[in-house]
Amino acid sequence: MNKFFPFALVLCLSLAGAVTRAEVAPKRGLTEVGQEQVKLRGGFWGPRQKAAAAVTIPHALNELEKDGHLRNFDKAAGVEKGKPDGHSAFDSDLYKVLEGAAYALQHFPDQPLQLRVDGMLDRILAAQQKDGFLISYFIIQEQDQRWDDLRLMHQMYNAGHYFEMAAALPGQAKVLDSAKRFADHIGGIFGPGKRYDVDGHQEVELALVKLYRATGEARYLELAKFFLDERGYAHGTERKPFDPTKVVVPPVPDDLPEAERKRLIRRNGLRVRNGRMQDHQPVIEQMDAVGHAVRAGYMYAAMADVLRFTDAPGYEKALDSLWADVVGRKMYLTGGLGTNERRDEGFSDAYVLPNAAYCESCAAIAHVLWQQRMALLKADAKYADVMELALYNGTLSGISLAGDQFFYQNPLVAKANTRRRPWIGLSCCPTNLSRIIPQVGGLMYAVGKDEVFVNLYAAGEATVALGGGKTVKLKQETEYPWDGKVRVTVTAAAAEATGIALRIPGWAQGHPVPGDLYTYADAQTPPVTLKVNGEEVAATPGKDGYVHLRRVWKSGDTIELRLAMPARRVHAHEKVVENTGKVALMRGPIVYCLESVDQPEPELATLHLPPANALTAEHRADLLGGVTVLRAEGVAAETGQPFQLTAVPAYAWANRDPSGMTVWFRETPAPPKAEK
Ligand SMILES: [Zn+2]
C-alpha cells in the first residue's frame, strides 16, 4: 500500500463527514462552527486543550479500563465471562471520554491514542446485538429487562452518549452505522402507537438531534421530540394525561432487612412521577426550573435544539420562562447550578442559593451546552454571556490545571484541607470534563445569513463556511480573559460583503450577568472601543448584544476590540440572604475567590473588605499557569488590623496546598457571634 494512503483516506472521510453535517441546516437561528474548524493553540485554551489530549483523556481511559468499563463490552460480546462491573450507566462514561478523544485527536494527532481508541471502538461494536441493542449491563445479565425501569436504569442515557460519540466520529462510518441501528431499535419500541415512556436522565433527546444532523435522517429528530413531548404524560401503550392518584407502586414488605426496605422505598419514590426528572408536567407547561440540574440542563438544551430544526409549538415560551427563572433566580455567580437542598442534586426555590452549593461539574457543563444552544436559537449575546460565565468558572473549577484531578461538586465555599481527587468512581464528572474542554472551539463562533458571529474571545484561528461555497478565515490574537484587547485579523475573505458580528459582553456594559441576580457595586461602565483597519467605528451593540460589521473584507483586514477590564465588586440580589453584607470579586468574565493559602488571615469567614478599599489587578505569569490576581487591603477579624488580601480565579483554586476557599466574603465586619 502506498504510504500516503492513510492520509488520503482520513482526508476523504473527514470531508465526507463535514459535507453530511452541513446538509442539515437549522430552520431558524444560527449554525455552529464545529470545533474541528477552530484551532486554539496558544492563549488561555491552547494549554488546556493540550492537557486534555495528553493527560486527561489517557488518564480517564486508564481509570475506566481499571474499573471494568471495557471488560463489560467483552463480557457482552461473549469473549469474557462474569457479571457486569459497576452500574447500569457504566457504558456512558466510556463513550464520553471517547467523544473527547475524537475531538482531541483532530487537533493533536497521536498515533498510540488513536490506535487505543480504535481498539476500544472495535470491542464496543463487537458487543452490539443483532437487533441493534447495545447496553453491556443488560446484555450480560438482564436481557429480559432491557427496557424495564426506564427512570432508574439510565438505558437512554447510555444510548444518548453513544449517539453523541458516534456523531463526533464522522470518519468512522461503522460507528455511525451502529448508532443508527441502535437508534432504530429504540425507535421500533418507543414512539406514537408503540410504547409511550421517557427516560429518567435526559440526554438521548439532544443526542438524537445530533444523530439526525450527522445522518440527515428525520426520524431521529422526530424521536427526540417524542421523548420530550411524552414527559408529564402517563406511560404505557397509549398517550394519556398523567393522573397521580393512579400511580401503582409495588408494596414494600415490612419484614425485609432495613437496607433493602429503604432501597425499595427509594425506587418506588422514583417511580412516582416527579420533578426530579422534569417529568411532573408536559415540557411546554414547565415554566420554573425544578429537579436534578444536569437532567434539566440537557433537557432544556434538547428543547432549544429541536426548536431550531423543526416546529415545536410552546417550546419557546417554556424556554424563555425557564431561562429567566434559572438566570434571574437560581444560578450561582459561577454559572453553577444545583443546591441539593432537596437531596435531588437540583434546584431550590428562587433566591435560595447557599454557598455550600452542590454545583455538580456535569450541571455546569449542561448549563454551557444549554446556553450555547439558546445563543444559536435566538442569536442574542446574552446567552453567550452566561455560557462564558459557566464555562470559565463553574465548569473549569471541576478539573485541575494539570488535567488529572477533579471535583464532582463545586461549592462557593470550602473548608480547609479540601482536595481534588485523582479519579471519582462515579465518574460522570471527570468523563464529562474530558469531552467539554476539547470541544471549546465549537462554542466560539456561529454562522448566520452571510454573517460570522464571534461569541467567545480566545487566541486561535477559525475557518468559517458561510454557505454557497463562501469561506472566511479569522485569527484572534488576545490575552483574554486576562486582557480585554482582542485583535481579529481576516486571513481569507469572500469576494462579497460579509458580516462579522462581535459580541459585546454584558460584563463590559455594567452587567456581570443578564438580569439582577448579581450586580456590580458601582455604576461605572468603562467605554468599549472598536477599530477596523485602525479607524475607530461605533462600538455600541444592537439590542441583540452584537456590533454588526459588514463590508467586503480583504485578507489582512484587522478589527481591534478593547474591552476595559477593571476589577469589580459584585453584590447578590437582596433576596439571596446567604450573601447579605458580602461581596464577590470579578474581572472580565472571571469570578475570583479567596484561598486561605494566599492570606495571612486564615479565617476566611470573618475577615472583611471595607467597601471603600481599592482593588488592584496584577498578572502573575508564574502562578497557577498564569493568572491575574486581585489585591486589596482587607481587615482581619481577630485583630482589626489591615492586611493584604489576595484573590485568585475561582476555577484555579485547590491546585496548591490543601486550602479553604470562599467566593463570597464579608464587606463589613462580621456580626458578633451571639447574633448567629
Ligand atoms: Zn457529574
Side-chain angles (χ1 to χ4, degrees):
M1 203 195 308
N2 181 321
K3 69 174 176 172
F4 294 110
F5 177 71
F7 286 103
L9 186 68
V10 168
L11 188 67
C12 293
L13 290 174
S14 60
L15 283 175
V19 170
T20 316
R21 255 188 242 181
E23 276 172 12
V24 184
K27 283 183 74 163
R28 60 173 278 195
L30 308 178
T31 306
E32 299 88 334
V33 174
Q35 59 77 34
E36 69 280 2
Q37 301 303 116
V38 182
K39 273 190 210 163
L40 304 169
R41 289 294 182 271
F44 184 85
W45 288 104
R48 275 165 188 81
Q49 291 208 322
K50 200 155 191 192
V55 179
T56 312
I57 288 167
H59 169 60
L61 291 176
N62 290 346
E63 293 296 327
L64 296 178
E65 278 208 89
K66 215 159 59 191
D67 287 348
H69 292 252
L70 251 292
R71 219 157 41 228
N72 278 354
F73 289 99
D74 297 339
K75 290 173 187 166
V79 181
E80 255 199 60
K81 289 210 163 18
K83 283 186 165 283
D85 282 300
H87 50 79
S88 63
F90 239 39
D91 294 357
S92 67
D93 293 320
L94 184 59
Y95 299 152
K96 280 190 283 181
V97 180
L98 292 174
E99 182 193 341
Y103 306 135
L105 283 166
Q106 291 173 37
H107 296 287
F108 304 96
D110 176 338
Q111 190 73 357
L113 180 60
Q114 183 72 61
L115 289 173
R116 188 178 186 188
V117 166
D118 290 348
M120 288 180 168
L121 291 171
D122 284 341
R123 286 161 74 181
I124 292 166
L125 291 177
Q128 188 164 30
Q129 304 295 284
K130 280 205 177 67
D131 59 6
F133 185 81
L134 180 54
I135 302 173
S136 66
Y137 182 91
F138 291 94
I139 297 172
I140 299 169
Q141 65 173 11
E142 293 177 348
Q143 282 276 20
D144 56 330
Q145 294 165 40
R146 282 174 170 194
W147 298 111
D148 287 1
D149 264 338
L150 221 49
R151 291 160 204 217
L152 298 177
M153 300 308 285
H154 287 33
Q155 291 99 327
M156 297 291 184
Y157 182 81
N158 284 312
H161 280 300
Y162 191 58
F163 304 154
E164 282 209 80
M165 180 197 75
L169 289 162
Q172 294 267 11
K174 63 184 178 187
V175 182
L176 196 58
D177 185 57
S178 153
K180 285 173 67 175
R181 288 195 290 124
F182 191 9
D184 289 336
H185 172 74
I186 292 171
I189 296 168
F190 300 90
K194 300 171 213 169
R195 179 169 155 193
Y196 295 82
D197 209 341
V198 298
D199 50 276
H201 196 313
Q202 298 91 318
E203 148 62 29
V204 77
E205 302 83 359
L206 74 86
L208 282 164
V209 178
K210 283 195 176 179
L211 191 60
Y212 156 63
R213 299 179 67 190
T215 62
E217 303 284 358
R219 62 183 180 277
Y220 303 132
L221 180 65
E222 286 157 20
L223 192 57
K225 188 163 185 295
F226 169 82
F227 284 133
L228 287 170
D229 289 342
E230 286 315 305
R231 301 197 93 77
Y233 285 88
H235 304 161
T237 53
E238 57 183 311
R239 189 180 215 228
K240 29 181 202 209
F242 171 64
D243 179 353
T245 64
K246 296 217 172 114
V247 173
V248 181
V249 293
V252 178
D254 285 332
D255 54 352
L256 289 175
E258 189 55 17
E260 179 63 5
R261 256 180 60 80
K262 276 194 173 153
R263 192 182 71 85
L264 292 177
I265 288 167
R266 182 175 167 273
R267 282 179 77 107
N268 279 349
L270 292 171
R271 278 197 181 93
V272 178
R273 192 166 315 258
N274 60 36
R276 180 173 199 243
M277 39 196 84
Q278 296 81 30
D279 193 20
H280 56 302
Q281 283 175 311
V283 291
I284 56 169
E285 291 170 24
Q286 295 191 26
M287 299 296 152
D288 296 315
V290 297
H292 194 283
V294 185
R295 301 173 199 220
Y298 286 162
M299 184 177 92
Y300 307 158
M303 289 170 69
D305 254 354
V306 165
L307 184 54
R308 198 152 51 103
F309 286 92
T310 191
D311 295 330
Y315 276 36
E316 186 153 13
K317 187 176 168 212
L319 281 169
D320 287 346
S321 176
L322 291 164
W323 190 86
D325 188 44
V326 170
V327 174
R329 295 182 280 270
K330 293 177 180 168
M331 174 180 84
Y332 284 95
L333 180 61
T334 54
L337 303 180
T339 66
N340 203 29
E341 292 228 304
R342 295 181 182 137
R343 302 199 165 274
D344 62 354
E345 304 169 69
F347 298 103
S348 285
D349 291 335
Y351 302 109
V352 177
L353 290 162
N355 290 319
Y358 195 72
C359 287
E360 184 180 341
S361 296
C362 286
I365 292 169
H367 195 199
V368 167
L369 298 177
W370 175 35
Q371 296 293 348
Q372 180 210 11
R373 284 158 172 81
M374 292 298 287
L376 294 166
L377 177 71
K378 305 269 220 169
D380 190 316
K382 69 181 180 183
Y383 303 103
D385 284 349
V386 187
M387 173 178 79
E388 179 179 63
L389 186 80
L391 177 66
Y392 278 101
N393 304 292
T395 298
L396 267 191
S397 63
I399 186 165
S400 67
L401 298 173
D404 58 354
Q405 301 210 345
F406 307 92
F407 280 137
Y408 194 101
Q409 297 172 31
N410 299 274
L412 281 74
V413 63
K415 292 196 181 80
N417 301 320
T418 305
R419 286 172 189 265
R420 295 174 184 275
R421 290 158 66 186
W423 192 247
I424 300 165
L426 190 64
S427 61
C428 59
C429 293
T431 56
N432 225 348
L433 289 156
S434 301
R435 72 179 184 133
I436 190 72
I437 290 173
Q439 65 175 299
V440 162
L443 307 174
M444 291 186 58
Y445 298 90
V447 173
K449 194 175 183 316
D450 268 341
E451 189 169 29
V452 184
F453 285 73
V454 187
N455 277 330
L456 294 179
Y457 297 108
E461 293 171 55
T463 304
V464 183
L466 285 162
K470 279 208 285 182
T471 299
V472 171
K473 290 189 185 184
L474 300 175
K475 181 166 130 191
Q476 281 196 42
E477 293 163 284
T478 178
E479 297 298 318
Y480 200 95
W482 312 123
D483 189 311
K485 268 185 281 181
V486 182
R487 183 188 172 93
V488 181
T489 305
V490 179
T491 55
E496 308 91 63
T498 307
I500 297 179
L502 302 167
R503 166 179 157 250
I504 306 301
W507 62 255
Q509 298 173 83
H511 309 289
V513 297
D516 64 357
L517 187 53
Y518 304 105
T519 46
Y520 290 137
D522 59 65
Q524 58 162 316
T525 35
V528 175
T529 64
L530 187 60
K531 286 180 182 171
V532 177
N533 293 332
E535 274 178 42
E536 196 142 330
V537 298
T540 313
K543 262 175 75 180
D544 62 0
Y546 295 94
V547 170
H548 296 267
L549 303 172
R550 184 164 203 93
R551 61 174 66 201
V552 180
W553 299 95
K554 287 190 290 298
S555 185
D557 283 351
T558 59
I559 301 166
E560 289 166 284
L561 177 66
R562 273 172 192 255
L563 308 163
M565 260 190 196
R568 308 290 294 260
R569 287 169 183 257
V570 177
H571 291 149
H573 192 286
E574 61 180 17
K575 288 183 181 163
V576 183
V577 292
E578 177 109 359
N579 291 332
T580 305
K582 291 184 187 170
V583 65
L585 304 179
M586 283 184 80
R587 184 171 178 275
I590 301 292
V591 175
Y592 281 76
C593 73
L594 300 182
E595 213 179 338
S596 46
V597 71
D598 293 311
Q599 324 303 333
E601 154 83 42
E603 255 317 311
L604 300 178
T606 49
L607 62 79
H608 76 277
L609 173 61
N613 292 10
L615 303 172
T616 58
E618 183 197 345
H619 193 71
R620 290 272 311 274
D622 59 326
L623 184 70
L624 296 167
V627 293
T628 297
V629 300
L630 304 183
R631 294 189 211 284
E633 196 176 276
V635 179
E638 286 288 306
T639 60
Q641 295 298 310
F643 72 99
Q644 177 159 273
L645 171 159
T646 303
V648 297
Y651 77 76
W653 92 278
N655 277 286
R656 294 171 289 174
D657 293 338
S659 183
M661 178 277 288
T662 190
V663 169
W664 294 96
F665 49 97
R666 302 213 56 85
E667 200 164 33
T668 50
K673 279 210 169 101
E675 284 183 26
K676 269 192 178 171

